[in-house]
Amino acid sequence: MSRTARTASAALTVALALGVSACGGSGGDDVAADAKQTLTVWAMGAEGEKLAEVAEVYEKANPNVTVKVTPVGWDVAHQKLVSAAAAGTMPDVAQMGGSYMGEFAELGVLEPVDTKTFDKGDFFPAGWSQGEVDGTAYGVPWYVDTRVLYYRTDLAKEAGVDKAPADWQEMQSLAAAYQEKAGTKWGLSIQPSGLDTVQNFYPFLYSAGGAILDDKGEAVIDSPEAVSALKEYGAYFDKGLSNKSVQPGYDVVKDFGNGRVPMFFGGPWHVTLLNEGQPQIKGKWAVAPVPAGTSSVSMAGGSSLVVSKDSEHKAAATAFIKYLTDTEGQADWYERTKDLPANTAAWDSGKLAEDANLQVFKKQMDTAKSSPSTAQLTEITDKVDQAIAKVTQGKASAEDALKTAQSEIEGIVKQ
């Protein structure tokens, strides 16, 4: 999910101005799960369109429950949720990305997860942690996302390499070999600057053992591990292995197909994009785990499902979420959307178990790390974006750029 420009403080100000209650609370007695009722659900992007189909199937098995799904575009999702929270009109169930969770938990509009119904152990650890704020789970993982390394195997052979890079040294060596021996324009595509640059940086930061915030919520972006990661990231630009100037909205798929870019970090959707949009390279590319710094750790993304604190249909909402997140529901959702299941048991059979590329994503999810669940996440990651840009553009050392970011982030978390 792409984040939009927003701040938690602005959301909180709007909410308080319009009178949202921080303590929430049901507007009445909760309706029994099997009673006749209408359940309102907001889902974002493509998921919103597909969920309506699933809702129809669910209604046939649960005739007393009408599931009203409202698709919401990601470009307006945050503002609609903020407005609904402020007005006390949150849907019974909502899809929520990890970058929203801290903000809406702080607003007091989310119901804690019923941990008697949902077992943390059924899900990828990083998927579950995306829905946690200050030790309390507010979201049940619906689908997960992570980044792995895509690389051109045919061009690697031209460069004299017959295996995926396993660590930073091997990845940088392969990037140089692609250029020198296979004639590619670049060695690795990573974002040099702009909104969400941090998402390309996460595999380096986490693989080095670094973090933006520690478990106590304190800034640690200037740690030796983070500095090491940013030095490695910046080296690709210093050595001309990565493009310093990339247009907003750049899509790497075409350049991967024509050989200008032989490596990039991508998500599961890129498998479909390459298979359908670049058929000429079928069998000439592969995916591999993120090359290790001290270990191989990538970012975790995806979405969770939350229940409104004010919902009068919490039992039905919980039952519907259970249906969507159990093993069978997760396997069905993958077939409909190709979203990766958050429930690990869904990976044990069918295409998910048999597809070698998909299994790389599963392996990566086992160690993936989620972003901090904090209301100030956007403000915080914006400071990291700025630090990365200073380094990739040769305007500051990794040490100095992260020292500045550390000071700025300390100011944000102490607000």
Side-chain angles (χ1 to χ4, degrees):
M1 180 196 72
S2 297
R3 60 185 166 91
T4 55
R6 62 188 183 276
T7 66
S9 58
L12 191 58
T13 299
V14 171
L16 292 175
L18 293 176
V20 65
S21 169
C23 62
S26 175
D29 293 334
D30 192 41
V31 179
D34 57 355
K36 192 170 183 62
Q37 61 196 292
T38 296
L39 195 64
T40 56
V41 181
W42 287 6
M44 319 314 180
E47 283 75 24
E49 302 295 336
K50 291 292 184 180
L51 186 56
E53 299 173 5
V54 178
E56 291 180 5
V57 176
Y58 185 79
E59 288 172 341
K60 290 178 181 178
N62 301 271
N64 280 344
V65 180
T66 298
V67 182
K68 183 180 178 182
V69 177
T70 300
V72 179
W74 276 118
D75 57 336
V76 297
H78 181 262
Q79 186 54 52
K80 282 184 69 69
L81 286 166
V82 168
S83 298
T89 57
M90 286 281 286
D92 298 305
V93 176
Q95 176 184 358
M96 190 165 286
S99 58
Y100 292 1
M101 200 65 68
E103 177 181 354
F104 287 89
E106 185 176 282
L107 286 173
V109 296
L110 304 182
E111 180 75 6
V113 170
D114 178 0
T115 53
K116 293 181 180 179
T117 301
F118 301 99
D119 186 346
K120 177 179 180 178
D122 289 340
F123 303 93
F124 286 109
W128 185 268
S129 67
Q130 284 186 87
E132 286 187 325
V133 180
D134 295 332
T136 298
Y138 292 97
V140 180
W142 187 18
Y143 63 87
V144 293
D145 168 30
T146 190
R147 302 294 184 273
V148 300
L149 183 71
Y150 285 73
Y151 73 106
R152 286 284 298 267
T153 53
D154 58 336
L155 298 176
K157 288 180 181 178
E158 287 185 32
V161 179
D162 60 3
K163 64 176 183 177
D167 56 32
W168 284 358
Q169 182 178 353
E170 290 183 1
M171 181 166 65
Q172 195 173 132
S173 295
L174 178 56
Y178 273 132
Q179 283 185 321
E180 296 166 6
K181 299 178 181 179
T184 65
K185 175 67 175 177
W186 308 106
L188 172 70
S189 177
I190 46 178
Q191 192 171 330
S193 59
L195 183 67
D196 286 332
T197 303
V198 69
Q199 292 196 7
N200 268 209
F201 180 55
Y202 279 139
F204 290 82
L205 177 64
Y206 294 154
S207 291
I212 298 176
L213 303 179
D214 64 16
D215 293 339
K216 298 179 181 179
E218 297 178 356
V220 290
I221 194 59
D222 66 345
S223 69
E225 293 83 3
V227 170
S228 172
L230 189 50
K231 283 182 176 179
E232 182 68 19
Y233 195 91
Y236 284 89
F237 299 92
D238 292 341
K239 298 178 180 181
L241 298 171
S242 295
N243 190 354
K244 286 186 177 182
S245 178
V246 176
Q247 294 299 315
Y250 168 71
D251 183 3
V252 73
V253 170
K254 182 178 179 180
D255 280 348
F256 190 72
N258 64 30
R260 284 171 56 87
V261 169
M263 285 194 295
F264 71 97
F265 291 103
W269 64 89
H270 283 109
V271 172
T272 301
L273 291 176
L274 290 170
N275 286 337
E276 295 180 355
Q278 304 295 324
Q280 76 280 6
I281 58 169
K282 182 178 180 180
K284 298 178 180 179
W285 60 272
V287 297
V290 167
T294 57
S295 59
S296 173
V297 184
S298 191
M299 64 165 283
S303 282
S304 299
L305 295 168
V306 301
V307 176
S308 168
K309 189 82 170 179
D310 285 334
S311 172
E312 295 181 357
H313 308 278
K314 293 185 180 72
T318 298
F320 184 57
I321 293 174
K322 182 67 174 177
Y323 175 81
L324 295 176
T325 59
D326 67 14
T327 303
E328 185 176 342
Q330 290 272 278
D332 175 70
W333 188 243
Y334 170 75
E335 290 300 323
R336 294 174 184 273
T337 66
K338 302 306 182 226
D339 287 339
L340 300 183
N343 188 317
T344 56
W347 291 80
D348 293 341
S349 61
K351 186 177 180 180
L352 285 158
E354 299 165 0
D355 189 302
N357 286 333
L358 291 174
Q359 285 297 309
V360 173
F361 283 96
K362 181 179 186 296
K363 179 180 179 181
Q364 196 72 73
M365 272 304 305
D366 286 336
T367 61
K369 185 173 180 178
S370 59
S371 302
S373 293
T374 172
Q376 298 93 359
L377 181 61
T378 298
E379 294 174 86
I380 289 169
T381 55
D382 179 63
K383 302 306 180 184
V384 182
D385 286 345
Q386 293 177 32
I388 297 167
K390 290 175 185 176
V391 173
T392 64
Q393 303 306 306
K395 296 180 179 179
S397 66
E399 291 90 346
D400 289 345
L402 292 180
K403 182 178 180 181
T404 298
Q406 174 75 12
S407 177
E408 292 171 337
I409 293 171
E410 285 177 346
I412 293 171
V413 298
K414 290 177 181 178
Q415 290 177 0

